[in-house]
């Protein structure tokens, strides 16, 4: 489940769909399959990504739709979690895929700096300009070249709760962080700890921090901190840690106490709220919590499991932290023309709507039809993501070098686990974060 952090989980006009039949980036017309003249008939595009199970099955439906439209066969291969190593090995072995679904901005930059990627074509770029908020194009751009098309997104600013638990405590979903702390205390007084916290998985703690920091400090400082242009000893970091510490140190607010949280992994934290014997009323994480509550615990989304947006902190705006998978084209792939045609297709609302209908998906494409989503809750989350526009910020730890933002037992993950264990010294925690970040970013 740790891979959920790295990926992340969102969604037309017929004119845009038909536009695919016009001109593919890289040259040539693409006629629909079955028309007798499709120039991609007989070609093949190989796509690699981390997805397995249901996600892979649903993405294959997107690829099948592409094949139906163009005549190009599409194959998917799973890389597992370590995308960089697998793709590097395939390139060295002369067996590179054509397209890779990259789960981190840091990995996308790494691929670009290694010279592995081709800039995307003008048609794809224009469609992204027309259909997506500028922030998504920016996250796919490295040193001025547009390499990454964000096809699948995750909304990491959702707090999931048991409606029964909140009803029994007589509280309603809060609008501000201060209200959330107050409501949490009321829930705890009713006999049920307020939050399940997955402290064993350090990535969940980075998500807590990022939401607070984005709302409290604002998007500009968030960007500077993400790039390590602002030191982690900055007062804004200390302030955010202090705010997070209020929840971690609150009496009976965390299921099992802080020590119990440190031995709770992410799937278990969801089970603590939505399992047969609830141990908490709420769990913070991304939109993917809903899928687990539904598939693993049989909850009906909207009735037995609901969410409220991560609340605004200290008068700031409610944060929208996201993650996502970006499609990139490898230089060493064997079918550049089919790869660029696939990118054209993935940029359209039509492609997003194929997966949206299957569930477990959010699209940052503003033109995707909300009706394509299968339930009101997912539709609401997708709308929140799209409505956030340019205020969306990509997961900060995913932007950092892995030694700081993405490795178990070190860097930000471990330091925030230490902070959960004892949140009494925010300044000391900020100093430890800065020392780790300085080392990682220098490297």
């Amino acid at each position: 489940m740790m891979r959920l952090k790295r990926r992340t989980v969102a969604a037309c006009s017929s004119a845009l769909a038909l536009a695919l039949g016009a001109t593919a980036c890289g040259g040539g017309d693409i006629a629909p399959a079955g028309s007798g003249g499709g120039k991609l008939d007989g070609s093949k595009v190989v796509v690699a990504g981390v997805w397995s199970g249901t996600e892979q099955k649903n993405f294959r439906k997107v690829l099948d739709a592409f094949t139906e439209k163009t005549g190009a066969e599409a194959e998917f291969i799973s890389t597992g979690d370590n995308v960089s190593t697998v793709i590097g090995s395939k390139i060295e072995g002369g067996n590179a895929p054509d397209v890779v679904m990259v789960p981190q901005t840091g990995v996308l930059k790494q691929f670009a700096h290694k010279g592995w990627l081709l800039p995307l074509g003008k048609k794809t770029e224009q469609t992204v300009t027309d259909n997506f908020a500028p922030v998504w194009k920016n996250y796919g751009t490295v040193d001025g070249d547009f390499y990454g098309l964000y096809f699948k997104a995750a909304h990491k600013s959702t707090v999931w709760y048991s409606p029964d638990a909140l009803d029994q405590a007589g509280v309603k979903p809060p609008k501000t962080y201060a209200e959330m702390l107050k409501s949490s205390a009321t829930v705890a007084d009713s006999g049920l700890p307020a939050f399940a916290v997955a402290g064993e998985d350090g990535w969940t703690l980075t998500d807590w921090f990022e939401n607070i920091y984005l709302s409290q400090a604002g998007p500009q400082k968030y960007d500077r901190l993400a790039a390590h242009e602002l030191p982690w000893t900055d007062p804004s970091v200390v302030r955010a840690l202090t705010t997070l510490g209020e929840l971690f140190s609150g009496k009976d607010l965390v299921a099992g106490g802080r020590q119990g949280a440190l031995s709770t992994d992410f799937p278990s934290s969801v089970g603590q709220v939505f399992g047969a014997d609830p141990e908490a009323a709420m769990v913070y994480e991304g939109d993917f919590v809903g899928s687990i509550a539904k598939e693993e615990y049989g909850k009906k989304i909207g009735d037995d499991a609901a969410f409220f947006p991560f609340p605004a902190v200290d008068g700031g705006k409610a944060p929208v932290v996201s993650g996502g998978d970006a499609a990139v084209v490898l230089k060493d792939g064997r079918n550049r023309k089919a790869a660029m045609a696939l990118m054209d297709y993935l940029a359209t609302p039509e492609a997003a709507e194929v997966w949206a209908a299957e569930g477990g998906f959010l699209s940052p494409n503003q033109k995707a039809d909300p009706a394509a989503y299968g339930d009101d809750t997912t539709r609401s989350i997708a709308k929140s993501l799209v409505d956030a526009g340019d205020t969306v910020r990509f997961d900060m730890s995913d932007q950092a070098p892995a030694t700081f933002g993405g490795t178990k037992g070190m860097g930000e993950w471990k330091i925030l686990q230490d902070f959960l264990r004892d949140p009494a010294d925010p300044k000391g925690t900020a100093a430890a974060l800065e020392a780790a970040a300085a080392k990682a970013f220098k490297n």
Side-chain angles (χ1 to χ4, degrees):
M1 298 304 296
M2 205 160 67
R3 185 159 53 83
L4 286 169
K5 167 71 171 178
R6 300 292 132 216
R7 303 186 266 108
T8 62
V9 169
C12 157
S13 72
S14 59
L16 274 173
L18 290 171
L20 181 67
T23 303
C25 290
D29 295 332
I30 303 176
S35 68
K39 291 190 177 181
L40 293 181
D41 283 349
S43 63
K44 180 179 180 179
V45 59
V46 178
V47 185
V50 300
W51 297 321
S52 60
T54 300
E55 285 186 306
Q56 184 180 138
K57 180 184 72 174
N58 290 338
F59 183 59
R60 284 183 184 276
K61 292 183 179 180
V62 178
L63 296 179
D64 288 345
F66 169 72
T67 297
E68 180 69 22
K69 181 171 288 294
T70 65
E73 179 187 350
E75 177 186 351
F76 182 84
I77 57 174
S78 183
T79 62
D81 293 341
N82 202 341
V83 180
S84 300
T85 301
V86 172
I87 298 304
S89 297
K90 287 187 174 295
I91 290 173
E92 288 180 10
N95 191 30
D98 301 295
V99 172
V100 183
M101 307 304 293
V102 178
Q104 296 163 266
T105 55
V107 174
L108 191 155
K109 290 177 182 176
Q110 176 191 355
F111 282 16
H113 290 152
K114 284 178 178 288
W116 290 356
L117 304 182
L118 285 172
L120 302 186
K122 296 299 182 184
K123 179 181 173 69
T124 302
E125 185 171 0
Q126 186 59 53
T127 306
V128 170
T129 299
D130 293 342
N131 291 3
F132 294 69
V135 66
W136 293 100
K137 185 177 178 182
N138 292 342
Y139 281 126
T141 299
V142 181
D143 298 332
D145 288 319
F146 179 49
Y147 294 109
L149 162 65
Y150 276 92
F151 177 67
K152 185 178 190 288
H155 193 315
K156 295 188 174 185
S157 300
T158 54
V159 180
W160 292 82
Y161 66 94
S162 163
D164 283 346
L166 264 58
D167 287 347
Q168 289 178 18
V171 301
K172 295 186 180 300
K175 301 293 186 184
T176 68
Y177 191 84
E179 286 179 14
M180 188 170 75
L181 288 178
K182 184 177 179 180
S183 297
S184 295
T186 302
V187 170
D189 288 343
S190 74
L192 187 68
F195 273 98
V197 175
E200 184 178 318
D201 290 332
W203 59 265
T204 67
L205 305 181
T206 70
D207 288 351
W208 269 106
F209 171 82
E210 287 158 9
N211 275 273
I212 290 172
Y213 190 83
L214 177 56
S215 181
Q216 195 175 59
Q220 284 71 38
K221 280 195 172 182
Y222 184 98
D223 292 342
R224 292 180 62 204
L225 186 63
H228 199 225
E229 295 169 358
L230 189 74
W232 284 76
T233 47
D234 189 83
S236 62
V237 176
V238 177
R239 185 184 180 197
L241 288 169
T242 301
T243 300
L244 179 57
E246 292 176 23
L247 187 143
F248 286 170
S249 61
K251 185 177 184 299
D252 299 326
L253 296 190
V254 176
R258 296 194 297 274
Q259 198 58 44
L262 285 165
S263 60
T264 301
D265 62 15
F266 170 65
S268 298
S269 71
V270 179
Q272 286 181 337
V273 177
F274 299 112
D277 298 307
E279 300 173 51
M282 296 175 278
V283 57
Y284 156 68
E285 249 312 325
D287 59 274
F288 39 82
V289 170
S291 297
I292 298 171
K294 178 182 177 180
E295 294 169 14
E296 299 294 327
Y297 300 104
K299 299 301 181 183
K300 185 176 180 181
I301 304 303
D303 292 338
D304 307 319
F307 83 97
F308 57 85
F310 197 101
V313 185
D314 293 341
K317 293 184 177 180
V320 178
V321 176
S322 185
D325 296 272
V328 300
V329 176
L330 295 186
K331 275 184 181 177
D332 291 342
R334 298 182 181 182
N335 198 327
R336 183 174 300 184
K337 184 175 182 179
M340 289 298 186
L342 177 60
M343 304 302 281
D344 287 347
Y345 179 64
L346 293 179
T348 67
E350 178 186 3
E353 289 160 11
V354 173
W355 194 338
E358 303 300 324
F361 175 85
L362 297 177
S363 173
N365 193 321
Q366 296 172 326
K367 302 289 181 64
D369 187 352
Y373 292 101
D375 62 82
D376 288 340
T377 299
T378 306
R379 198 170 293 119
S380 175
I381 296 172
K383 184 178 186 300
S384 171
L385 181 74
V386 168
D387 287 352
D390 254 10
T391 67
V392 170
R393 285 300 182 269
F394 209 92
D395 183 297
M396 188 186 295
S397 61
D398 276 1
Q399 299 183 57
T403 53
F404 178 66
T407 304
K408 187 174 182 178
M410 63 188 299
E412 192 179 1
W413 291 17
K414 181 182 184 300
I415 294 166
L416 289 179
Q417 286 172 324
D418 292 342
F419 181 68
L420 171 60
R421 184 177 291 108
D422 181 7
D425 186 12
K427 284 187 177 180
T429 299
L433 286 165
E434 171 56 22
K439 182 178 179 181
F441 277 86
K442 181 179 179 181
N443 292 342

